[in-house]
Amino acid sequence: MEKLLVLVLISTCNALNQNLSGKMLTFPQETDSANVRLKTPREKFSAVTICLRFFTDLGRNHVLFSAATPGNAAFIIKKTAASEIQQVSKNSTAIFEGQAFTLNTWHSLCSTWDSKTGLGQLWMDGKPSARKFLHYGAIRTPRILLGQEQDDFNEQEDQQQAFNQQKSFVGMVNDVHMWDSVLRPCQIQNYTNQMNFAPGNVLSWGALHFQMTGRVVLEDMQSDCKQ
Ligand SMILES: *[C@@H]1O[C@H](CO)[C@@H](O)[C@H](O)[C@H]1NC(C)=O
Ligand SMILES: *[C@@H]1O[C@H](CO)[C@@H](O)[C@H](O)[C@H]1NC(C)=O
Ligand SMILES: *[C@@H]1O[C@H](CO)[C@@H](O)[C@H](O)[C@H]1NC(C)=O
């Protein structure tokens, strides 16, 4: 009984629940370990929208968001070539071309998928991609990470796992939201333009439950100098 209580206390202390409005997560170094785990009691989805803003100077391939299920990618968004971003889910890959973005600038990226049509789509800085087939059928996302790609993971080795440094994210991320539906174009435009939007009903930056591992810094957004 006491042991159980201690365990519960430890896991509660490690996981933070905060309003991150005005903050960003900085991944300042290429590592095979630094990550931020995003927590939600929800696990099964028949549609998703994930939106986030990122800033990087990485020329190489890197992950932007990764949700995994044991032995499989659940929903991964990654840059895989100079002007290509992929959605990977359950052994299926949708490749979106013409997604080059300027380095050293904040970008807004939204990614949607719906099991009814099986179609995925990207919105880079509010600009829609072609709609591509990914797969039908629900996904399960027991582990959601920023900073590291997880093509698969083993729940037993959850804590010790090393990731692939060559796919890690270096830079800053903020305003991460996840919904269990496909947002309408107007809602995505509002997110992109930082106007009114209903926060994510699965993950919300204004009430984020998360856990930082390794060298990740939670800090204030840098704003222009004000008089
Ligand atoms: C994905 O591919 C792996 C290896 O080919 C296979 O073992 C697994 O069953 C596949 N999973 C799904 C969901 O298709
Ligand atoms: C988008 O933002 C505008 C201005 O804040 C607001 O009037 C409108 O209702 C928003 N649209 C959606 C779909 O949330
Ligand atoms: C988070 O903080 C911002 C700024 O203080 C505030 O506008 C917003 O309502 C807060 N969000 C939640 C969910 O409390």
Side-chain angles (χ1 to χ4, degrees), residues 71-72 90-92:
N72 218 318
K90 280 190 166 179
N91 292 355
S92 300

Side-chain angles (χ1 to χ4, degrees), residues 167-217:
K167 297 178 177 177
S168 67
F169 178 82
V170 182
M172 295 91 87
V173 178
N174 85 344
D175 232 357
V176 182
H177 291 264
M178 178 170 169
W179 294 262
D180 62 359
S181 60
V182 172
L183 293 196
R184 285 177 287 115
C186 272
Q187 296 172 303
I188 291 179
Q189 290 304 342
N190 273 18
Y191 172 84
T192 302
N193 300 327
Q194 311 207 31
M195 289 158 71
N196 284 345
F197 62 92
N201 64 349
V202 178
L203 297 171
S204 170
W205 196 246
L208 198 69
H209 194 202
F210 66 103
Q211 187 168 10
M212 302 197 290
T213 302
R215 186 155 291 149
V216 186
V217 185

Side-chain angles (χ1 to χ4, degrees), residues 59-178:
R60 63 161 169 76
N61 297 355
H62 58 271
V63 68
L64 291 162
F65 176 94
S66 77
T69 202
N72 218 318
F75 200 81
I76 293 180
I77 308 164
K78 56 183 180 180
K79 179 175 180 276
T80 43
S83 62
E84 180 182 295
I85 292 181
Q86 293 186 356
Q87 285 177 345
V88 182
S89 181
K90 280 190 166 179
N91 292 355
S92 300
T93 301
I95 299 173
F96 300 95
E97 308 281 1
Q99 301 292 335
F101 54 81
T102 318
L103 301 184
N104 299 308
T105 306
W106 280 100
H107 296 282
S108 295
L109 180 67
C110 292
S111 177
T112 72
W113 165 78
D114 180 8
S115 63
K116 279 197 210 85
T117 56
L119 299 183
Q121 188 168 32
L122 287 185
W123 297 75
M124 174 67 85
D125 294 325
K127 196 166 110 288
S129 72
R131 294 162 65 71
K132 300 271 176 100
F133 184 76
L134 197 53
H135 65 77
Y136 301 119
I139 55 171
R140 209 168 71 76
T141 63
R143 190 169 74 178
I144 302 177
L145 297 185
L146 299 174
Q148 299 291 342
E149 170 156 359
Q150 32 175 3
D151 283 325
D152 52 55
F153 85 97
N154 180 334
E155 256 162 337
Q156 270 68 51
E157 297 164 10
D158 196 0
Q159 301 307 319
Q160 297 85 20
Q161 188 181 1
F163 299 96
N164 184 343
Q165 182 162 338
Q166 284 309 307
K167 297 178 177 177
S168 67
F169 178 82
V170 182
M172 295 91 87
V173 178
N174 85 344
D175 232 357
V176 182
H177 291 264
M178 178 170 169

Side-chain angles (χ1 to χ4, degrees), residues 26-43:
T26 300
F27 298 85
Q29 198 175 41
E30 183 178 285
T31 72
D32 66 1
S33 56
N35 72 80
V36 177
R37 182 166 178 175
L38 307 180
K39 304 205 168 184
T40 166
R42 305 275 312 276
E43 251 190 37

